[in-house]
Amino acid sequence: MNVNQSAPPVPPYGQNQPIYPGYHQSSYGGQPGPAAPATPYGAYNGPVPGYQQAPPQGVPRAPPSSGAPPASAAQVPCGQTTYGQFGQGDIQNGPSSTAQMQRVPGSQQFGPPLAPVVSQPAVLQPYGPPPTSTQVTAQLAGMQISGAVAQAPPPSGLGYGPPTSLASASGNFPNSGPYGSYPQSQAPPLSQAQGHPGVQPPLRSAPPLASSFTSPASGGPQMPSMTGLLPPGQGFGSLPVNQANHVSSPPAPALPPGTQMTGPPVPPPPPMHSPQQPGYQLQQNGSFGPARGPQPNYESPYPGAPTFGSQPGPPQPLPPKRLDPDAIPSPIQVIEDDRNNRGSEPFVTGVRGQVPPLVTTNFLVKDQGNASPRYIRCTSYNIPCTSDMAKQAQVPLAAVIKPLARLPPEEASPYVVDHGESGPLRCNRCKAYMCPLMTFIEGGRRFQCSFCSCVNDVPPQYFQHLDHTGKRVDAYDRPELSLGSYEFLATVDYCKNNKFPSPPAFIFMIDVSYNAIRTGLVRLLCEELKSLLDYLPREGGAEESAIRVGFVTYNKVLHFYNVKSSLAQPQMMVVSDVADMFVPLLDGFLVNVSESRAVITSLLDQIPEMFADTRETETVFAPVIQAGMEALKAAECAGKLFLFHTSLPIAEAPGKLKNRDDRKLINTDKEKTLFQPQTGTYQTLAKECVAQGCCVDLFLFPNQYVDVATLSVVPQLTGGSVYKYACFQVENDQERFLSDLRRDVQKVVGFDAVMRVRTSTGIRAVDFFGAFYMSNTTDVELAGLDGDKTVTVEFKHDDRLNEENGALLQCALLYTSCAGQRRLRIHNLALNCCTQLADLYRNCETDTLINYMAKFAYRAVLNSPVKTVRDTLITQCAQILACYRKNCASPSSAGQLILPECMKLLPVYLNCVLKSDVLQPGAEVTTDDRAYVRQLVSSMDVAETNVFFYPRLLPLVRTKSPLDSTAEPPAVRASEERLSSGDIYLLENGLNLFVWVGASVQQGVVQSLFNVSSFSQITSGLSVLPVLDNPLSKKVRGLIDSLRAQRMRYMKLIVVKQEDKLEMLFKHFLVEDKSLSGGASYVDFLCHMHKEIRQLLS
């Protein structure tokens, strides 16, 4: 949306307002979501009819062993990554199922029973439903998905088997040795919410939807007498946790159907579906096609393992115990289901405590009394009534608030209400503003505050009669009585020094040291500013912006410019006493662009020439901010400084810094000092800036360490932004920098803002996260606040809540608009309260929970060792899931991992946070990068953290299914196993954009996209795709443009070729795999989580 287009005229207050024009299907942020893709869960389409078994299709797979690969395996040069397990065009996400996706019924656990596993001869006999006393397992490539019989608890003393000497999966989890396992036929019993006929488990309160799995880690009774016979580190097909999630040993060569493989006899894997049931064949690592050879880190099964209690037959080697990635919760599937189920209807906010659609779903919002989820999202929409219950569940109660969020064009901006000199109506006691939650009594002469229950008089000019339901007859004519979000015009009482503010100013402060001139940055910037100044933000239908501008250049000294319209040429004034900064001129420094256009253009032409031969390499930093703030103070207005800076400020001046970069501190108790500012000067300076309403946006162009942790303090505390372009080169980074600059200058900003969150009795706001300053415990002070920034607020109980009244939040933001108008923006939200834990778990939102947990962790690294922060997150997640298991899930075997339906992605997303650069950096991540990401995430909204921690991987070109020319391709899971060497993929995380090209992509595709004749001629690291006139090129470039338009920052493109050195960078974003820095794969982390939960429960 162009911020300069005229806003819809505001209907006069007191008249009927066209609040809801006709709603049509939204296509906000992209095209409507595609139809549901094939389900990756074998049993996601309803119960399997009977236990019929079909003979398996395809080639039987040899059992993995830890020995050398067979001689028949293809040999690969040492040190070279192999992608051979994917033939050209292998389907990695599975064939499409003929059955339409359905939601899992509420009482049903994650999968009905699938194939029972028994040790028997290779030919599978069909057999009827088992008697209820039989223990049956559904085996999915080594992972049991629950189904159910109520059964006796497992014997006491059941553990994870003896510790072994294998390395742990994550390298960082305490006590995470490999998990022991159980003999093949003694897997834990299934537990299914419906139960078998005659054995109905007693339900407590109605359990919420749940997903349950039995991980191979968990065991049925282990045979003590057998343990001594096992070689060290081997159980009965035990699951090794240090299994990498991608296969790097040579795969077995493909065999034509029907060919026998040499070697010991292998039982075919049990099929995943009966003949009548559409679904998938059993698969390993989510890929189809030829059988694979042995894989690294798989332990070989113990050859003489007896098959207790199974049908007689010759001993068979056991299949490998490895969780099938397709059988554990998939973020892609959850996102797709939500789009299909909730993307077509508008989200109407009239009902209290409704959980909105996911942030990844395009939907339209109809405001009927509660704020849109675009403004406020909560971790739970049903709050526990007591603090004891909240402590038991450990689910953080928090709201992520984005007060000035931009809305799609189909939704109306908040209405502006003008109550004249009397100002907005408020509660006398708690000062909450009039809203739809207030109750009018005594015929409309008084109102009772819903926040503090105080009864207030209604002023005569605001009086209106009530209808038969007790509602005011003018309720729908007044936004503050019918909508969740609206604005009041503030009176002079809400202004500084009791006088209305002047319009804000922008000051551009340009580093003209040797580095900035040499790279071409100064020339590029000055050229861009000439045209950019025509696009300053403006209010409503204003013809031109009210914002004034000023210019400063600096190296070791500062140069101020007089650009008064009456001058023929700009005048420069130099301030060399940087220790005692002052502004040498007032008149002519801040000017109106249209009046001084010729002088400004002349100045921007002269700056690159004036400093073209500079040899000055040293710069100052704090005095530059001080100068900008003093200029705004002298002009008596708020505003924003745009700082363009290149190097560590080592010149003698206040705020001088030294190079303190030290990688040896990583993983020590002193690591936290890398995130802390090295001097207190900048905090003091930030405090002065906030008092003046001076917001700072910092553009950094470092070639080496610049101490982002210290330089970002002022932007962070003033509500500003930091942009970083390492090793800036005009030809490569120009588009990204100019795009970010244009967006930053043009976006609508509220200046000199104060935000307060009020709550109804029983809960209160106790903690705040984001880019702002707080001088007391309640007021969030922001020198500037734009539409991208969020403030995250945590709530705690201070009294008992009751279910009838619910819990209420009101966020009030007082700010100065771009035109200099003082306004109050109000957002209201009513939540439910519950006395049953099941209701809490049924109404949580995982994306918001992860947003809060990431911000909590990223702030904690300032004061605690990183390892402690990681452990805290793991413990909290385990406590949340253990509480659900203990109090809400149906009784079942301890060997099952049961996840609440709306939290089934908590483990995968939390693992992504734990593996992020801030909490677990790889060798290539710099200290500055970590500090940059840390401050960036602190004010991200839920949609941004969602894609930042779990990137989107989109197949652009698939050999089996050509790219549809209209819809966005359906995403695949972020794992190397999903890549096929015959295909091209696009990966984005909100900051980075990669195009990965497989080595066996068809020649025609390479020609259409890159305009070269073969894969080897593609330039690795290419940052722009050639503009070619063919459907594929247009489609891919169009998709990239639409993704960039959805994100807050311009994503620079990097083309990565398979098996190229840049591929390591790309693989860093495949977050379901084990990371090079030691982060666990999703499968391993799920097992670790299960172990933690079991320890808590025992």
Side-chain angles (χ1 to χ4, degrees):
M1 173 178 174
N2 181 357
V3 294
N4 294 322
Q5 71 191 33
S6 58
V10 178
Y13 128 80
Q15 290 181 18
N16 278 320
Q17 310 203 18
I19 297 172
Y20 316 122
Y23 283 87
H24 55 276
Q25 178 109 5
S26 161
S27 59
Y28 177 49
Q31 282 77 20
T39 161
Y41 308 117
Y44 212 55
N45 292 329
V48 180
Y51 287 86
Q52 288 296 104
Q53 300 300 324
Q57 300 165 357
V59 185
R61 185 179 291 113
S65 78
S66 54
S72 60
Q75 294 303 314
V76 179
C78 177
Q80 186 176 336
T81 317
T82 64
Y83 284 77
Q85 70 261 38
F86 309 120
Q88 179 168 345
D90 280 353
I91 298 178
Q92 290 308 311
N93 244 19
S96 68
S97 160
T98 50
Q100 183 60 36
M101 274 308 306
Q102 296 168 354
R103 255 191 191 281
V104 185
S107 62
Q108 179 180 324
Q109 292 184 358
F110 200 65
L114 300 180
V117 176
V118 288
S119 293
Q120 60 172 28
V123 182
L124 282 164
Q125 309 281 335
Y127 39 148
T132 50
S133 60
T134 314
Q135 296 185 349
V136 187
T137 44
Q139 166 115 8
L140 264 180
M143 162 179 178
Q144 278 43 334
I145 289 200
S146 69
V149 240
Q151 84 293 328
S156 59
L158 175 62
Y160 271 77
T164 70
S165 57
L166 282 169
S168 86
S170 70
N172 269 14
F173 295 133
N175 313 322
S176 68
Y179 314 111
S181 59
Y182 36 77
Q184 178 70 18
S185 55
Q186 293 239 172
L190 298 161
S191 102
Q192 176 182 352
Q194 294 100 310
H196 266 293
V199 196
Q200 192 68 20
L203 289 180
R204 298 169 195 183
S205 68
L209 293 166
S211 312
S212 69
F213 316 97
T214 308
S215 87
S218 49
Q222 299 192 348
M223 297 294 158
S225 59
M226 289 304 302
T227 49
L229 301 173
L230 293 175
Q234 292 190 359
F236 296 111
S238 59
L239 170 78
V241 290
N242 59 343
Q243 157 66 12
N245 216 20
H246 53 269
V247 182
S248 52
S249 70
L255 296 173
T259 313
Q260 287 296 317
M261 289 176 73
T262 52
V266 183
M272 287 194 36
H273 57 283
S274 61
Q276 306 92 338
Q277 172 80 3
Y280 299 148
Q281 289 175 276
L282 185 65
Q283 55 209 352
Q284 179 176 329
N285 292 351
S287 62
F288 291 74
R292 304 201 195 155
Q295 302 190 18
N297 298 335
Y298 272 77
E299 303 168 21
S300 42
Y302 178 56
T307 50
F308 301 105
S310 66
Q311 297 177 358
Q316 301 288 346
L318 295 171
K321 287 275 184 185
R322 175 171 182 340
L323 279 175
D324 175 9
D326 275 345
I328 54 182
S330 157
I332 305 305
Q333 191 64 51
V334 171
I335 288 168
E336 204 54 55
D337 290 350
D338 192 77
R339 279 181 182 160
N340 295 332
N341 295 330
R342 307 196 65 182
S344 52
E345 294 295 316
F347 177 69
V348 181
T349 70
V351 183
R352 183 177 85 186
Q354 275 188 110
V355 182
L358 298 180
V359 284
T360 44
T361 299
N362 295 329
F363 60 98
L364 206 61
V365 180
K366 214 168 172 178
D367 185 342
Q368 289 192 357
N370 282 299
S372 158
R374 304 195 205 289
Y375 294 122
I376 306 181
R377 278 188 178 264
C378 296
T379 52
S380 178
Y381 288 80
N382 208 329
I383 292 182
C385 282
T386 64
S387 59
D388 290 346
M389 193 173 153
K391 282 184 190 126
Q392 187 184 356
Q394 287 284 316
V395 175
L397 305 175
V400 179
I401 306 173
K402 198 176 181 182
L404 297 179
R406 290 188 312 282
L407 301 180
E410 306 89 46
E411 293 175 25
S413 296
Y415 288 97
V416 181
V417 180
D418 185 359
H419 282 313
E421 288 184 17
S422 61
L425 187 56
R426 305 175 71 175
C427 168
N428 292 329
R429 185 196 291 164
C430 71
K431 302 297 181 200
Y433 293 87
M434 178 53 67
C435 67
L437 309 169
M438 304 292 192
T439 312
F440 286 87
I441 54 177
E442 296 178 23
R445 287 188 297 279
R446 307 177 85 187
F447 72 91
Q448 182 170 23
C449 174
S450 313
F451 293 89
C452 68
S453 305
C454 174
V455 175
N456 301 267
D457 290 327
V458 173
Q461 74 273 15
Y462 199 76
F463 172 78
Q464 186 54 273
H465 295 285
L466 308 184
D467 64 13
H468 64 287
T469 64
K471 244 186 154 171
R472 281 174 58 124
V473 295
D474 66 346
Y476 291 106
D477 299 336
R478 290 185 177 270
E480 75 272 23
L481 299 182
S482 56
L483 297 178
S485 301
Y486 43 87
E487 291 198 327
F488 291 119
L489 281 186
T491 58
V492 75
D493 308 336
Y494 292 87
C495 303
K496 249 187 206 164
N497 309 324
N498 277 359
K499 67 177 200 184
F500 285 111
S502 309
F506 283 179
I507 304 177
F508 296 90
M509 317 189 89
I510 306 167
D511 176 350
V512 288
S513 65
Y514 175 72
N515 275 338
I517 297 291
R518 182 184 57 82
T519 56
L521 168 65
V522 175
R523 190 174 296 278
L524 178 71
L525 175 59
C526 290
E527 204 54 48
E528 176 64 25
L529 285 177
K530 288 183 204 170
S531 55
L532 187 55
L533 294 177
D534 289 332
Y535 298 97
L536 299 177
R538 56 188 124 187
E539 283 286 299
E543 282 186 20
E544 60 179 48
S545 175
I547 293 172
R548 291 169 296 162
V549 298
F551 300 89
V552 173
T553 57
Y554 68 94
N555 39 46
K556 266 199 328 195
V557 297
L558 275 74
H559 322 107
F560 292 79
Y561 296 93
N562 183 346
V563 282
K564 201 173 178 181
S565 56
S566 56
L567 296 173
Q569 284 293 322
Q571 295 172 345
M572 176 164 117
M573 297 180 186
V574 180
V575 177
S576 51
D577 183 6
V578 289
D580 185 17
M581 184 46 63
F582 67 97
V583 181
L585 76 158
L586 292 179
D587 188 30
F589 179 62
L590 295 177
V591 297
N592 180 294
V593 175
S594 56
E595 289 171 13
S596 298
R597 160 73 62 203
V599 193
I600 290 172
T601 303
S602 172
L603 171 67
L604 294 172
D605 282 335
Q606 289 176 37
I607 287 174
E609 305 308 327
M610 271 192 287
F611 299 99
D613 300 324
T614 185
R615 286 287 169 265
E616 185 55 74
T617 55
E618 293 188 356
T619 57
V620 295
F621 188 74
V624 184
I625 296 174
Q626 179 88 35
M629 184 196 66
E630 296 289 351
L632 293 176
K633 191 186 281 185
E636 294 185 345
C637 68
K640 186 184 267 197
L641 311 182
F642 295 85
L643 243 84
F644 304 90
H645 190 79
T646 58
S647 55
L648 192 69
I650 54 171
E652 279 305 327
K656 174 186 174 180
L657 302 179
K658 61 179 191 292
N659 187 336
R660 53 163 187 166
D661 190 17
D662 186 0
R663 290 193 65 84
K664 291 198 286 295
L665 297 181
I666 293 176
N667 293 328
T668 69
D669 286 352
K670 288 188 176 174
E671 185 173 4
K672 59 191 176 193
T673 59
L674 297 174
F675 297 112
Q676 297 165 351
Q678 55 172 291
T679 162
T681 308
Y682 291 95
Q683 270 117 325
T684 312
L685 184 56
K687 189 176 169 182
E688 292 172 21
C689 286
V690 171
Q692 185 45 50
C694 168
C695 173
V696 179
D697 279 359
L698 175 60
F699 292 79
L700 283 171
F701 305 87
N703 288 334
Q704 53 200 20
Y705 178 75
V706 290
D707 200 348
V708 173
T710 306
L711 297 189
S712 65
V713 165
V714 180
Q716 177 79 1
L717 292 178
T718 58
S721 307
V722 179
Y723 298 84
K724 181 166 160 286
Y725 310 89
C727 302
F728 179 81
Q729 292 176 302
V730 169
E731 56 277 10
N732 292 338
D733 302 295
Q734 164 177 343
E735 195 179 354
R736 178 172 155 232
F737 163 55
L738 295 182
S739 177
D740 286 341
L741 177 63
R742 285 167 195 152
R743 199 172 182 284
D744 197 54
V745 169
Q746 293 175 39
K747 65 186 171 191
V748 174
V749 183
F751 293 96
D752 213 355
V754 182
M755 182 179 121
R756 183 176 281 195
V757 178
R758 294 179 173 85
T759 53
S760 54
T761 310
I763 55 168
R764 62 195 169 89
V766 293
D767 207 352
F768 301 84
F769 303 82
F772 52 76
Y773 176 76
M774 291 187 80
S775 55
N776 57 36
T777 56
T778 54
D779 294 340
V780 175
E781 298 173 46
L782 303 122
L785 175 68
D786 60 53
D788 300 336
K789 298 278 190 312
T790 64
V791 175
T792 302
V793 186
E794 187 183 5
F795 303 99
K796 289 257 164 75
H797 288 75
D798 56 8
D799 202 350
R800 191 185 169 86
L801 296 163
N802 74 42
E803 286 184 277
E804 191 183 334
N805 297 342
L808 314 178
L809 315 178
Q810 184 180 78
C811 163
L813 177 79
L814 174 65
Y815 71 99
T816 302
S817 74
C818 292
Q821 201 175 46
R822 203 71 176 147
R823 290 184 180 178
L824 280 153
R825 181 169 288 203
I826 313 295
H827 298 297
N828 305 288
L829 186 63
L831 304 171
N832 287 329
C833 295
C834 58
T835 52
Q836 300 291 324
L837 282 166
D839 292 327
L840 164 70
Y841 282 102
R842 203 183 278 114
N843 292 280
C844 287
E845 207 200 30
T846 302
D847 292 328
T848 311
L849 203 55
I850 288 295
N851 180 286
Y852 164 82
M853 290 171 106
K855 289 172 181 176
F856 173 84
Y858 280 18
R859 187 178 68 183
V861 297
L862 287 171
N863 306 308
S864 308
V866 171
K867 186 180 183 308
T868 308
V869 175
R870 290 166 49 79
D871 292 345
T872 305
L873 285 182
I874 292 170
T875 305
Q876 182 172 17
C877 180
Q879 284 173 329
I880 291 170
L881 298 176
C883 174
Y884 172 80
R885 173 65 189 263
K886 184 177 175 186
N887 299 288
C888 308
S890 315
S892 59
S893 147
Q896 283 178 330
L897 171 59
I898 300 183
L899 303 171
E901 179 62 20
C902 65
M903 279 193 192
K904 63 186 180 189
L905 298 181
L906 187 61
V908 63
Y909 286 163
L910 182 71
N911 189 36
C912 296
V913 175
L914 293 170
K915 295 200 299 189
S916 64
D917 291 339
V918 173
L919 298 183
Q920 198 165 34
E924 73 294 340
V925 180
T926 67
T927 307
D928 275 348
D929 287 337
R930 296 177 74 195
Y932 173 66
V933 169
R934 198 192 73 79
Q935 61 80 32
L936 198 58
V937 168
S938 69
S939 53
M940 273 187 182
D941 71 7
V942 180
E944 286 176 287
T945 51
N946 173 273
V947 75
F948 179 74
F949 289 114
Y950 191 95
R952 287 168 79 192
L953 183 61
L954 306 171
L956 290 181
V957 178
R958 303 200 83 156
T959 39
K960 294 284 170 70
S961 52
L963 193 61
D964 174 24
S965 60
T966 51
E968 191 176 283
V972 295
R973 292 169 69 166
S975 167
E976 191 178 345
E977 294 171 353
R978 309 287 161 173
L979 303 177
S980 157
S981 64
D983 299 341
I984 297 179
Y985 298 82
L986 184 145
L987 182 142
E988 63 112 357
N989 75 339
L991 296 181
N992 308 87
L993 191 62
F994 294 95
V995 168
W996 182 89
V997 187
S1000 356
V1001 172
Q1002 291 170 359
Q1003 202 172 328
V1005 171
V1006 171
Q1007 186 72 49
S1008 301
L1009 211 48
F1010 300 102
N1011 205 23
V1012 293
S1013 56
S1014 69
F1015 172 80
S1016 59
Q1017 292 177 304
I1018 299 171
T1019 310
S1020 180
L1022 194 69
S1023 60
V1024 61
L1025 292 178
V1027 178
L1028 303 173
D1029 188 14
N1030 65 66
L1032 180 63
S1033 177
K1034 286 177 183 170
K1035 163 73 188 172
V1036 171
R1037 286 181 290 108
L1039 176 63
I1040 288 171
D1041 289 344
S1042 81
L1043 291 176
R1044 282 173 172 160
Q1046 291 171 33
R1047 302 295 170 215
M1048 306 307 169
R1049 308 215 167 187
Y1050 183 90
M1051 299 184 290
K1052 182 182 171 184
L1053 175 70
I1054 301 176
V1055 173
V1056 176
K1057 293 164 69 177
Q1058 184 175 350
E1059 295 177 18
D1060 185 78
K1061 59 181 184 297
L1062 271 175
E1063 200 182 30
M1064 296 313 289
L1065 179 62
F1066 172 77
K1067 285 182 184 173
H1068 177 68
F1069 297 98
L1070 300 178
V1071 289
E1072 288 198 21
D1073 299 339
K1074 194 174 189 314
S1075 71
L1076 284 173
S1077 52
S1081 69
Y1082 175 21
V1083 169
D1084 291 342
F1085 184 71
L1086 202 58
C1087 294
H1088 178 75
M1089 222 52 242
H1090 189 196
K1091 180 183 167 194
E1092 293 276 328
I1093 292 165
R1094 290 187 62 171
Q1095 283 177 343
L1096 287 171
L1097 293 176
S1098 61

